[in-house]
Amino acid sequence: MTKFRIDRRQTLLMGAAIAMPAIVPSRGRAATEALKIGVLVPTTGVHASDGIRMLRRISWPPR
């Protein structure tokens, strides 16, 4: 009688195979909402002029 043994490499491969559909989106789906990325910049105080300038540079579409 042979024993069924699973080594570390096989365990990692099985875990990756199970998790892959959740990680990689299918080709049929497209994003319907815009992706929002937050950024913290100073808008008051001594560095307000720098923060406002940074917000203008990183906003898309440009204001």
Side-chain angles (χ1 to χ4, degrees):
M1 188 167 155
T2 60
K3 291 185 178 180
F4 182 68
R5 298 183 68 191
I6 299 175
D7 62 353
R8 188 180 306 167
R9 182 176 290 174
Q10 289 174 335
T11 304
L12 288 173
L13 287 174
M14 284 189 288
I18 292 170
M20 192 60 80
I23 297 171
V24 178
S26 66
R27 291 184 179 177
R29 293 186 298 183
T32 58
E33 297 179 10
L35 177 65
K36 294 182 180 181
I37 300 174
V39 62
L40 295 174
V41 295
T43 56
T44 59
V46 178
H47 301 290
S49 61
D50 295 332
I52 293 169
R53 190 170 59 228
M54 283 186 249
L55 282 175
R56 283 192 203 132
R57 297 294 184 257
I58 62 174
S59 64
W60 186 260
R63 294 181 192 183

